[in-house]
Amino acid sequence: MPSVVGPIKINNVSSGAVVQMGDCLYIAPKVATKTMAGSGGFNTGDFVITNNGINLTNTFDSDAFDSNVAANN
């Protein structure tokens, strides 16, 4: 569905990354990773102000496999 998107700022696209604009039928990622961070850990922009109280990130993961992408290669 077409939409109006405001300004877009892309600083870096690393290997394995996907940048998709507009309509898409199928995206098949080649790499899957899991990253955990606390409150305000991934804030990006030119002028960021974060006010966080006590923060605790639970990194326990009982799954052996989360995102299987072996068939996408």
Side-chain angles (χ1 to χ4, degrees):
M1 175 181 295
S3 63
V4 177
V5 178
I8 297 172
K9 180 179 181 181
I10 299 174
N11 291 327
N12 184 14
V13 177
S14 61
S15 63
V18 175
V19 176
Q20 187 263 325
M21 310 275 180
D23 296 341
C24 179
L25 175 65
Y26 182 73
I27 295 178
K30 307 298 183 209
V31 178
T33 59
K34 181 180 285 187
T35 305
M36 299 176 190
S39 176
F42 292 120
N43 289 335
T44 59
D46 294 329
F47 305 103
V48 176
I49 298 173
T50 56
N51 299 308
N52 299 323
I54 298 172
N55 179 22
L56 178 66
T57 301
N58 183 9
T59 59
F60 176 73
D61 184 18
S62 61
D63 297 342
F65 303 102
D66 289 329
S67 298
N68 299 323
V69 293
N72 292 344
N73 292 327

